[in-house]
Amino acid sequence: MGDWDSRQYTKFEKERTQPSIDLISRISIDPGSILDIGCGPGNSTAQLAKRFPAAEILGVDSSDDMLERAGKSHPELTFRKCFVPDGLSEFKNFDLIFSNACLHWIPGHETLLPKLMEKLTPGGMLAVQIPLTQQAVFYKLLHELIQADKWKMLNEIHNFHNLTPNATYDVLAGCSVEVAMWETVYYHVVPSHSAVIDWYKGSGLKPYLDALGENEKTEFLGELLEAVKGNIPIQGDGNVILKMPRLFFTAKK
């Protein structure tokens, strides 16, 4: 997959940031050091700095474009390029490891989550939010579309790696002393069906679009837009509600 486009991602920055704010509100420790995995354009890192102003905070991401945007938007904060989990070996342990809407892009959660717990100091906490892609209406429509013969090559793309909530709990229970989990369905209000497509062009659609030529991309997005129009209603004021189910969890070492 090519590099992320921070401009596309931040078109809905307020809505994308809200889950990180909600996750931060459930952190029950006072960390002196924090690692923000998948910091993106720095929006979640800035929220962590606001909540824990005395903490030493490091935001990491694998995207050069996101890191450049983060550095320009939040020059007072520290950001580094890192591929998780292997790249974590160069860092010390942290009191809090935080990740908002990132870990589902990383495979092998059966080993990933224990590795993250190992990077915590004694009494430290892992705090994570990931979209429940299996439950999202948009992804159900996307997966139906790529069953068509002309898009069948897109079936080879497997870009989400999150386990079920139950399986996630079992992994965490085996490497922590306390686990808390919850789900929230966000009703993100966007101005049109096209805005729904625009939202996902900044995230989950990117690997699919990267695999298509320009003409194919236009045709594919047109068919996907028609599917969205047929399954997500327009509200009385003309807006569209994009329902986004998300899983949250914290685990203490």
Side-chain angles (χ1 to χ4, degrees):
M1 186 175 78
D3 199 4
W4 289 83
D5 184 343
S6 60
R7 291 173 299 175
Q8 182 72 38
Y9 185 86
T10 54
K11 285 183 178 181
F12 302 95
E13 185 169 4
K14 180 180 178 181
E15 292 83 357
R16 293 189 191 277
T17 303
Q18 188 59 51
S20 68
I21 296 172
D22 297 341
L23 179 58
I24 289 170
S25 73
R26 296 286 292 268
I27 294 171
S28 58
I29 65 171
D30 186 14
S33 58
I34 302 173
L35 176 66
D36 182 12
I37 295 177
C39 63
N43 52 323
S44 56
T45 321
Q47 292 298 324
L48 286 164
K50 181 178 179 180
R51 173 65 177 82
F52 303 108
E56 178 185 345
I57 304 175
L58 173 64
V60 297
D61 205 286
S62 62
S63 166
D64 291 324
D65 188 69
M66 287 290 197
L67 290 169
E68 182 180 0
R69 178 74 171 246
K72 289 180 179 178
S73 300
H74 307 284
E76 76 283 4
L77 301 177
T78 302
F79 302 97
R80 292 271 299 277
K81 187 171 185 176
C82 177
F83 293 90
V84 175
D86 295 342
L88 295 179
S89 60
E90 64 179 291
F91 303 127
K92 64 180 183 180
N93 286 13
F94 296 85
D95 299 333
L96 172 66
I97 295 179
F98 182 93
S99 185
N100 180 63
C102 171
L103 293 191
H104 59 301
W105 293 98
I106 304 174
H109 282 210
E110 296 90 344
T111 56
L112 171 64
L113 296 178
K115 286 179 179 178
L116 296 182
M117 294 299 297
E118 289 174 4
K119 289 298 293 182
L120 289 171
T121 58
M125 174 178 280
L126 174 66
V128 174
Q129 181 273 126
I130 51 177
L132 283 167
T133 57
Q134 304 97 320
Q135 297 180 18
V137 172
F138 177 84
Y139 286 115
K140 291 178 181 178
L141 298 175
L142 173 63
H143 292 150
E144 288 176 6
L145 179 59
I146 64 177
Q147 301 312 309
D149 286 343
K150 64 179 174 179
W151 306 122
K152 62 182 179 181
M153 69 284 199
L154 298 178
N155 275 302
E156 299 176 3
I157 296 173
H158 301 287
N159 52 323
F160 299 131
H161 305 281
N162 44 317
L163 302 172
T164 65
N166 289 58
T168 298
Y169 174 85
D170 285 341
V171 174
L172 292 170
C175 58
S176 64
V177 298
E178 180 182 317
V179 180
M181 302 182 72
W182 66 99
E183 294 180 14
T184 300
V185 179
Y186 287 81
Y187 281 52
H188 298 299
V189 178
V190 296
S192 66
H193 288 119
S194 294
V196 174
I197 302 296
D198 221 23
W199 175 294
Y200 285 101
K201 283 170 68 177
S203 54
L205 267 179
K206 190 178 187 319
Y208 298 92
L209 299 180
D210 286 348
L212 298 173
E214 287 304 313
N215 291 337
E216 291 177 315
K217 191 181 302 183
T218 299
E219 184 178 0
F220 180 73
L221 289 175
E223 292 186 21
L224 187 56
L225 177 59
E226 289 306 308
V228 168
K229 287 180 177 179
N231 289 273
I232 301 179
I234 297 176
Q235 299 301 123
D237 63 357
N239 287 318
V240 173
I241 293 176
L242 173 58
K243 295 181 182 179
M244 182 77 71
R246 299 179 183 271
L247 175 69
F248 295 76
F249 57 83
T250 61
K252 286 187 178 181
K253 185 170 182 177

